[in-house]
């Protein structure tokens, strides 16, 4: 019997003031898989990824993590799940009053995952991994956007998540720093991290994704390996979107 | 006829003035500290819309801000004993000034909390932190940074308003002056002296608040 997908979503519906952002989305992510979600602004892709860690509460539908249904109304349940699901935001959202090191050690210490010494050792290891070992004592405001985003990724990794969600991680960056963040994400993918990435970086999607999901008007229009989507999309809407963006 | 300003009179009354000053400092420091706590708690309750408590704090803020402080002091000192809640002069003063400053600080801190971006909350929650930890570790330090200038104004007012406590016989600076004036009629010397002492206290308080603000701002200066 095949292993349960790490995340499975069925019939997800979410409306904001009468507008359907998600209109019955089915979606799944296998362990170790890299899924890139593409689609126009307002297509529902950010809403989808935010539903996956409970930042948005769906109106209807099911979310299963590791085969277990999530009570999407229970903040307590989400809080525990979020310790297994890392999230990286478009605007990095580092805590500006804390040093880089404290940004990374905060959650592992405060959720009881690690002692302060363990958390600091792990944080320094992760800072080396994101190529910022010398920035431990810097404040976020002293870093470039790309560096801040790499710290944000390290902060999420410090909880040793089973899956990482990326909500347009390079959209707020200068062109010259986008690459350093994408390189880091590439190396995470190589190491087998399960990743769901909302992105406009089509080159990156083509190269790194195991599967691409195209969303339009709150529905999954088409999903498949990058080659299939980028070269031979079956759906007219997918082809129209790609023609515009590529 | 030229008025003879009598410095010797001030020096002779120095010990009494210093004692009044000490009482003013004591009641003010205590009330300012407590009113900051009331402000932070009240603002958190308001911003996070804690049912019942949020409405209670809204009513409290409106009530305090729309009634005279002197009436509030009399209510606490003369009114509460009728329902068995009598307090000493000192504690009546602390409660009155804390309630007054706290109401303003609820609004000051509420503004501070509202200035903290929604992204900070989402980042904290997405790391699996409890909402209360987000409040304590992120929202309060960031919100205070914004609220401190307004809180300083409120704190200065609490300090100055401590002079109302002379009306219930609390031996603070203004009370000492009134008492001396009643005996010696040296009004100019006395009121000039306490004026300068109040001024010194306010300047000191401003200096301390600027130091605190500077400290809280330090991570942001290079931003």
């Amino acid at each position: 019997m095949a292993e349960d997908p790490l995340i499975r979503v069925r019939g997800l519906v979410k409306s904001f003031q009468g507008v359907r952002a998600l209109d019955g989305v089915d979606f799944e992510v296998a362990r170790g898989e890299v899924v890139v979600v593409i689609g126009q602004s307002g297509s529902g892709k950010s809403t989808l990824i935010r539903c996956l860690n409970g930042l948005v509460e769906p109106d209807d539908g099911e979310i299963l993590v590791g085969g277990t249904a999530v009570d999407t109304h229970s903040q307590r349940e989400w809080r525990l799940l979020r310790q297994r699901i890392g999230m990286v935001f478009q605007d990095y959202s580092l805590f500006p009053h804390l040093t880089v090191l404290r940004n990374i050690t905060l959650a592992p210490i405060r959720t009881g995952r690690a002692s302060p010494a363990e958390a600091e050792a792990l944080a320094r290891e992760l800072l080396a991994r994101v190529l910022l070992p010398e920035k431990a004592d810097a404040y976020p405001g002293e870093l470039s956007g790309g560096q801040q985003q790499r710290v944000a990724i390290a902060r999420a990794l410090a909880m040793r998540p089973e899956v990482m969600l990326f909500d347009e991680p390079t959209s707020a960056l200068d062109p010259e720093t986008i690459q350093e963040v994408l390189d880091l994400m590439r190396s995470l993918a190589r190491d087998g991290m399960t990743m769901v990435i909302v992105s406009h970086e089509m080159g990156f999607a083509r190269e790194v994704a195991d599967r691409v999901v195209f969303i339009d008007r709150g529905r999954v229009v088409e999903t498949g390996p990058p080659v299939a989507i980028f070269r031979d999309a079956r759906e007219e809407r997918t082809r129209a979107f790609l023609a515009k963006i590529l | 006829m030229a008025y003879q300003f009598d410095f010797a009179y001030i020096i002779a009354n120095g010990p009494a003035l210093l004692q009044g000053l000490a009482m003013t400092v004591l009641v003010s420091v205590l009330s300012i500290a407590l009113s900051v706590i009331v402000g932070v708690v009240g603002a958190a309750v308001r911003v996070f819309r804690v049912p019942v408590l949020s409405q209670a704090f809204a009513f409290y803020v409106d009530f305090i801000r729309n009634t005279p402080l002197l009436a509030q002091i009399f209510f606490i000192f003369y009114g509460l004993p009728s329902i068995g809640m009598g307090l000493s002069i000192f504690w009546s003063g602390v409660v009155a000034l804390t309630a007054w400053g706290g109401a303003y600080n609820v609004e000051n801190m509420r503004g501070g909390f509202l200035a903290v971006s929604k992204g900070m909350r989402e980042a904290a929650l997405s790391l699996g932190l409890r909402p209360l930890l987000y409040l304590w570790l992120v929202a309060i330090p960031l919100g205070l940074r914004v609220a401190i200038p307004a809180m300083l104004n409120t704190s200065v007012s609490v300090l100055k308003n401590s002079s109302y406590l002379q009306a219930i016989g609390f031996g603070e600076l203004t009370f000492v002056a009134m008492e001396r004036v009643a005996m010696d009629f040296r009004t100019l010397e006395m009121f000039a002296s306490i004026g300068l002492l109040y001024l010194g206290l306010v300047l000191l308080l401003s200096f301390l608040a600027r130091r605190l603000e500077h400290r809280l701002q330090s991570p942001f200066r290079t931003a």
Side-chain angles (χ1 to χ4, degrees):
Chain A
M1 197 183 88
E3 196 191 355
D4 275 323
L6 185 53
I7 295 177
R8 168 177 283 169
V9 163
R10 277 194 293 236
L12 212 59
V13 173
K14 177 67 188 181
S15 300
F16 295 105
Q17 280 121 28
V19 179
R20 282 218 161 179
L22 296 178
D23 191 11
V25 168
D26 297 319
F27 175 83
E28 57 187 57
V29 186
R31 213 170 274 277
E33 197 180 21
V34 176
V35 177
V36 176
V37 181
I38 60 172
Q40 285 176 335
S41 303
S43 60
K45 52 195 194 312
S46 277
T47 306
L48 170 62
I49 203 170
R50 292 159 65 83
C51 280
L52 299 183
N53 78 343
L55 289 179
V56 171
E57 193 180 307
D59 301 331
D60 200 10
E62 254 194 324
I63 300 175
L64 293 89
V65 177
T68 311
V70 181
D71 176 359
T72 53
H73 306 295
S74 162
Q75 279 307 306
R76 193 192 120 77
E77 206 167 316
W78 274 122
R79 178 165 59 75
L80 296 174
L81 272 175
R82 286 179 188 129
Q83 298 180 8
R84 300 161 52 192
I85 302 175
M87 177 92 172
V88 173
F89 298 89
Q90 184 175 340
D91 63 357
Y92 346 122
S93 294
L94 293 177
F95 305 126
H97 60 304
L98 301 179
T99 62
V100 163
L101 191 70
R102 284 207 58 209
N103 262 281
I104 300 173
T105 58
L106 186 72
I109 295 173
R110 295 297 180 148
T111 57
R113 278 275 177 116
S115 70
E118 287 163 353
E120 180 172 341
L122 175 60
R124 293 198 184 274
E125 203 177 294
L126 288 168
L127 279 174
R129 166 95 208 248
V130 303
L131 307 177
L132 294 168
E134 74 288 0
K135 298 293 187 189
D137 299 318
Y139 284 96
E142 298 169 301
L143 306 181
S144 73
Q147 291 174 328
Q148 289 193 53
Q149 192 59 297
R150 280 145 64 198
V151 172
I153 292 171
R155 178 175 71 173
L157 289 173
M159 291 296 284
R160 301 188 188 280
E162 293 167 50
V163 52
M164 288 279 282
L165 310 177
F166 294 85
D167 189 3
E168 304 203 20
T170 58
S171 298
L173 297 178
D174 301 327
E176 63 267 29
T177 60
I178 288 178
Q179 221 35 280
E180 62 190 49
V181 172
L182 293 182
D183 283 344
L184 173 58
M185 292 169 65
R186 244 178 231 118
S187 96
L188 288 179
R190 266 199 307 276
D191 292 351
M193 174 60 79
T194 310
M195 294 159 75
V196 180
I197 304 161
V198 169
S199 182
H200 295 292
E201 295 290 332
M202 294 302 151
F204 175 79
R206 199 188 308 222
E207 175 200 345
V208 177
D210 296 311
R211 200 152 51 83
V212 173
V213 174
F214 173 60
I215 292 195
D216 193 37
R217 291 181 217 147
R219 284 172 173 273
V220 173
V221 175
E222 191 164 0
T223 174
V227 185
I229 299 285
F230 288 112
R231 231 184 309 161
D232 320 296
R234 276 167 300 150
E235 301 291 330
E236 178 51 40
R237 271 196 279 168
T238 315
R239 286 200 294 269
F241 170 71
L242 290 171
K244 247 191 301 183
I245 198 161
L246 289 179
Chain B
M1 185 189 87
Y3 184 85
Q4 280 301 113
F5 194 93
D6 190 350
F7 283 104
Y9 174 76
I10 295 174
I11 290 162
N13 282 288
L17 283 171
L18 283 182
Q19 210 187 355
L21 183 72
M23 283 296 141
T24 292
V25 169
L26 183 64
V27 80
S28 300
V29 166
L30 207 53
S31 303
I32 288 169
L34 292 173
S35 68
V36 167
I37 294 171
V38 169
V40 170
V41 171
V45 160
R46 297 277 290 131
V47 168
F48 291 95
R49 300 208 180 88
V50 180
V52 186
L53 282 179
S54 178
Q55 286 82 348
F57 266 102
F59 174 78
Y60 152 70
V61 168
D62 274 345
F63 185 84
I64 295 289
R65 294 211 301 184
N66 294 305
T67 52
L69 175 58
L70 194 55
Q72 294 162 16
I73 293 170
F74 284 157
F75 174 80
I76 289 165
F77 185 65
Y78 295 116
L80 289 186
S82 317
I83 51 168
M85 292 170 67
L87 294 168
S88 68
I89 292 181
F90 176 75
W91 286 107
S92 293
V94 170
V95 168
L97 291 179
T98 298
W100 186 89
Y104 284 89
N105 277 339
V106 168
E107 290 305 290
N108 296 337
M109 192 62 199
R110 203 159 71 92
F113 279 141
L114 292 176
V116 178
S117 76
K118 195 168 144 245
M120 289 293 108
R121 180 160 189 270
E122 293 190 338
L125 293 185
S126 76
L127 288 165
L129 292 174
R130 290 167 190 276
L132 270 179
L133 276 177
Y134 156 71
L135 185 71
W136 180 245
L137 299 169
V138 181
I140 289 177
L142 290 178
L144 269 181
R145 175 176 69 98
V146 176
I148 273 194
M151 283 186 156
L152 171 65
N153 282 338
T154 297
S155 300
V156 166
S157 297
V158 167
L159 170 62
K160 291 189 294 183
N161 285 343
S162 69
S163 74
Y164 280 109
L165 298 181
Q166 64 89 13
I168 55 170
F170 178 62
E172 46 67 61
L173 200 49
T174 306
F175 180 85
V176 171
M178 296 292 279
E179 205 186 36
R180 296 289 140 160
V181 164
M183 290 188 292
D184 310 324
F185 303 104
R186 283 274 166 196
T187 48
L188 187 68
E189 284 82 350
M190 247 329 151
F191 291 128
S193 303
I194 69 166
L196 284 175
L197 288 171
Y198 277 119
L199 183 65
L201 281 183
V202 169
L203 292 178
L204 180 68
L205 184 59
S206 304
F207 170 76
L208 293 176
R210 264 202 312 277
R211 284 275 300 266
L212 177 64
E213 199 183 349
H214 187 76
R215 224 183 92 103
L216 288 176
Q217 292 282 10
S218 61
F220 302 91
R221 274 199 300 276
T222 48

